[in-house]
Amino acid sequence: MKTLEEMKEEIKVYTKKQKESFQETDDSWNTITLYHGTTTKYLNDILKNGLTPRKENKVNNFSDVPSNEELVYLTTRWHYWYAYNANQESLIKQVGEKRFEEEDIETLWNETGDFPMYVTCEVPVEFLTLDEDVVYQRKIRKGFRDGTITSPADITVDMCLEQGTIASLQTISPEYINEIVILGNAEYKNYLLEGQYGADASNWFSGLGIGHSDLWELIMLEHSHFKKGNQALEVEYPPENNKPIKKIQLEDSGLSIIR
């Protein structure tokens, strides 16, 4: 039986071949809502170019986690976790680990202008392919053991979606982006990462499934109880209509975004 790492490498080869042979059809109206968590350090680039593969943008939110540089990685539910952790890595690079550990996060957000954020997209289903990290999830590992999964072709896009992450063969251009949400509420950050959502994310990273957090309930809390400091930006098309963001500042009244 192949090891998980061997299957992961096979998936990378498999998706690379898919990308090389991909031809967009007229079926791009058939879409699914997906998310991408990152940090506002890349906000203006996303407003201009959308979500592009790392090969094109040289951006890696997690420098110690290798990935396929030709794909765009998306999620059905872990965008908050990715946003906060990408922001943490970015802030540590800017202010150092000591200050990150000791100082108030809102102070660091304001000093750097670097906030966690996530992108909400309507992605054509035909763009979707496997996220190689799906091999670590329990249901997929079971398939390896019982012989129902022997090659990447045995893993479907739906299987990936069920496990919480997916990849796109194509750039997610601004026309497919609904909004970008800047997460400037530290209480919401703590509520998520220290609560059920954080526990579910930890279990998911251990391959134990997606857990029981209700995504829509979390989104409702984001827009109600934890609204202050969180702000959505509408993304326009064509991208030339999206004026660049000059400054993001957390004030007593909420988030101030200056173009």
Side-chain angles (χ1 to χ4, degrees):
M1 186 176 71
K2 298 170 185 173
T3 67
L4 297 182
E5 294 304 317
E6 287 172 337
M7 180 59 80
K8 184 174 178 177
E9 291 306 310
E10 284 193 19
I11 290 175
K12 287 183 179 180
V13 173
Y14 176 79
T15 54
K16 182 177 181 180
K17 290 180 179 178
Q18 281 188 316
K19 184 175 180 70
E20 290 171 349
S21 62
F22 179 81
Q23 290 185 331
E24 190 169 350
T25 69
D26 293 331
D27 198 28
S28 58
W29 58 268
N30 182 18
T31 63
I32 181 173
T33 302
L34 294 168
Y35 307 92
H36 178 86
T38 184
T39 179
T40 57
K41 182 177 180 179
Y42 309 116
L43 174 56
N44 283 329
D45 184 65
I46 292 172
L47 288 172
K48 180 180 179 181
N49 301 307
L51 296 171
T52 56
R54 182 161 50 87
K55 185 177 182 179
E56 297 177 19
N57 61 35
K58 307 303 180 185
V59 171
N60 187 357
N61 283 322
F62 304 96
S63 57
D64 60 340
V65 181
S67 59
N68 189 332
E69 65 178 8
E70 299 189 19
L71 303 180
V72 176
Y73 289 88
L74 303 161
T75 178
T76 60
R77 64 192 299 110
W78 303 121
H79 46 290
Y80 294 115
W81 189 94
Y82 283 113
Y84 291 126
N85 281 272
N87 182 245
Q88 173 177 321
E89 183 165 314
S90 179
L91 288 177
I92 288 174
K93 288 179 180 178
Q94 295 177 74
V95 305
E97 190 164 359
K98 186 175 187 296
R99 287 191 63 196
F100 179 82
E101 294 293 339
E102 295 179 355
E103 296 187 25
D104 178 70
I105 189 66
E106 293 182 353
T107 299
L108 297 180
W109 285 341
N110 273 343
E111 177 183 323
T112 61
D114 192 358
F115 289 73
M117 73 175 199
Y118 70 85
V119 183
T120 304
C121 321
E122 290 297 326
V123 182
V125 172
E126 66 177 1
F127 285 11
L128 301 181
T129 189
L130 311 183
D131 173 359
E132 65 273 7
D133 285 338
V134 73
V135 300
Y136 299 120
Q137 292 302 311
R138 180 167 50 191
K139 287 185 178 180
I140 304 300
R141 296 200 314 268
K142 181 178 182 296
F144 296 154
R145 291 195 301 270
D146 64 25
T148 57
I149 297 176
T150 60
S151 74
D154 296 324
I155 305 173
T156 67
V157 163
D158 284 343
M159 288 179 183
C160 276
L161 290 170
E162 288 174 6
Q163 304 306 313
T165 60
I166 198 72
S168 172
L169 296 165
Q170 298 295 296
T171 290
I172 310 301
S173 68
E175 68 178 302
Y176 296 120
I177 297 177
N178 288 342
E179 64 179 14
I180 296 173
V181 178
I182 301 173
L183 299 166
N185 187 309
E187 290 184 7
Y188 190 49
K189 172 181 180 288
N190 294 335
Y191 175 84
L192 289 170
L193 298 187
E194 296 174 10
Q196 184 63 51
Y197 180 85
D200 286 347
S202 179
N203 287 334
W204 176 75
F205 276 100
S206 298
L208 301 177
I210 62 173
H212 306 288
S213 298
D214 186 327
L215 177 60
W216 294 112
E217 179 181 325
L218 296 178
I219 291 175
M220 290 299 294
L221 285 171
E222 172 194 312
H223 291 284
S224 56
H225 185 71
F226 296 104
K227 181 178 180 179
K228 184 179 178 181
N230 296 328
Q231 187 163 329
L233 295 176
E234 297 296 326
V235 178
E236 298 187 26
Y237 191 82
E240 291 77 17
N241 292 340
N242 295 307
K243 294 181 180 179
I245 305 300
K246 296 179 180 178
K247 185 177 182 180
I248 304 172
Q249 190 79 15
L250 187 60
E251 301 175 348
D252 291 340
S253 59
L255 206 61
S256 172
I257 299 175
I258 301 172
R259 293 181 183 267

